[in-house]
Amino acid sequence: MSDSAADKGAGDGTRAVRAGLPEPVKYEPTLPGPVFAAHFHLPGDATGPYKYGRDENPTWTHLERAIGELEAPGRDDVETLVFASGMAAISSVLFSQLRAGDAVVLPDDGYQVLPLVREQLEAYGIEVRTAPTGGDAQLALLDGAKLLWIETPSNPGLDVCDVRRLAEAAHARGALVAVDNTLASPLGQRPLELGADFAVASGTKQLTGHGDVLLGYVAGTDATAMAAVRRWRKVVGAIPGPMEAWLAHRSIATLQLRVDRQNATALILAQALRERADVTGLRYPGLPDDPSYKIASQQMRRYGCVVSFTLPTRARAERFLDALRLVDDATSFGGVRSTAERRGRWGGDAVPEGFVRLSAGAEDPEDLVADVLRALDESAR
């Protein structure tokens, strides 16, 4: 990527389109195709950038540079590593940084796989403390902790915490700070600029946005900590395939276009849902009366594509989902096709039976809103 395109002052669209591209070479593609290689020619001493396919791959390199330029534009002190999934990335930070006897602070309202992570951490002799995301409640648990794990906005409740405040407090106590940036995406929030040591995300969601790639990444500023993450990736082998990495890089080119459309639609949808008497517990950080709005406006550049709300009963929520025509009943979010689900069906989230998480896609806003309102009317009968 040229210096002008990589500059911190470049627009998000310019940066997304140009991110991670190699210097142009005559007759070569602007985005090289995926490199399928388990090994590389390596005569003599084992030096150079590419030695074995579990450790390095040129397709990963381009993608890692692209993500780094989005998470921390204009910075040379940030390293990015890609993984086979978001959970592989999350696990790499937690299990590479923590040892028996350490304490970690997790959110108790985060991604529904975190309770399983807690069980594994505790099995390794690591103390796990939890508190809600909202109200910066994790502050009270930081004394003696080795790592603070933040998820903001939280999934699926959409609470927001003050990353700067929490990071400063954690660092003052000698703790590292990781922020799960999946729901915001790098165009919505830059945790490293807010003081975090790690920005972690599932690239499966809005970053790639087409529902056809499983991917995760970790971006970090501490060379020693990132060396441990890299070593963990090598030991566990949680690496992405070259085709997945290439698809992810190709998809990033449209990230700004998708994010702006989806965020705008999510706000329009939230405003429409606010007028419904049968909808309660409506959450969207971009609504001025949302509990998260004040802090979100201070640290987020975009509010995200996810809206959550509650319908009166489980049966009503299921009828609503069944009546939708433009929204897929699926568990992911951030894709170009809108998705929604009754989140309580998984059993890992403390939400009402009628709680719905809806992710706005790239459909025309008026079509999506009309479909949702029609489905609400039909499901009420």
Side-chain angles (χ1 to χ4, degrees), residues 118-204:
R118 175 176 187 163
E119 290 179 12
Q120 194 62 58
L121 289 167
E122 290 177 337
Y124 289 157
I126 297 164
E127 179 189 353
V128 180
R129 309 167 184 171
T130 63
T133 298
D136 299 341
Q138 291 172 297
L139 277 174
L141 304 179
L142 292 177
D143 286 346
K146 176 70 178 298
L147 177 68
L148 167 63
W149 188 273
I150 296 170
E151 185 178 304
T152 182
S154 62
N155 174 23
L158 303 182
D159 275 323
V160 170
C161 60
D162 188 333
V163 176
R164 290 186 184 90
R165 182 187 183 199
L166 285 164
E168 288 175 2
H171 289 155
R173 292 164 173 80
L176 293 169
V177 178
V179 175
D180 186 330
N181 204 34
T182 303
L183 228 155
S185 91
L187 297 195
Q189 181 173 263
R190 295 177 184 149
L192 300 179
E193 292 184 356
L194 298 173
D197 301 290
F198 303 100
V200 187
S202 167
T204 308

Side-chain angles (χ1 to χ4, degrees), residues 22 73 90 220 234 257 309 312 319 363:
I90 289 170
K234 177 183 178 72
L257 299 173
F309 56 94
R319 291 198 305 272
E363 299 89 358

Side-chain angles (χ1 to χ4, degrees), residues 26-107:
K26 192 174 184 179
Y27 306 126
E28 293 293 322
T30 54
L31 176 61
V35 175
F36 298 98
H39 58 266
F40 303 86
H41 288 295
L42 193 66
D45 293 336
T47 59
Y50 305 109
K51 297 178 277 297
Y52 186 64
R54 188 184 65 249
D55 301 328
E56 304 99 359
N57 179 289
T59 310
W60 302 353
T61 299
H62 296 314
L63 175 60
E64 288 168 346
R65 289 174 179 166
I67 294 172
E69 289 166 9
L70 297 177
E71 283 283 359
R75 292 181 62 170
D76 298 325
D77 62 336
V78 173
E79 180 180 4
T80 303
L81 298 171
V82 291
F83 291 82
S85 68
M87 278 309 305
I90 289 170
S91 299
S92 75
V93 174
L94 291 169
F95 292 104
S96 70
Q97 305 303 314
L98 297 169
R99 301 288 184 272
D102 288 340
V104 60
V105 180
L106 301 179

Side-chain angles (χ1 to χ4, degrees), residues 294-307:
K294 181 178 179 181
I295 297 175
S297 297
Q298 294 170 358
Q299 66 189 24
M300 297 182 72
R301 298 159 57 240
R302 295 172 175 86
Y303 297 107
C305 62
V306 175
V307 177

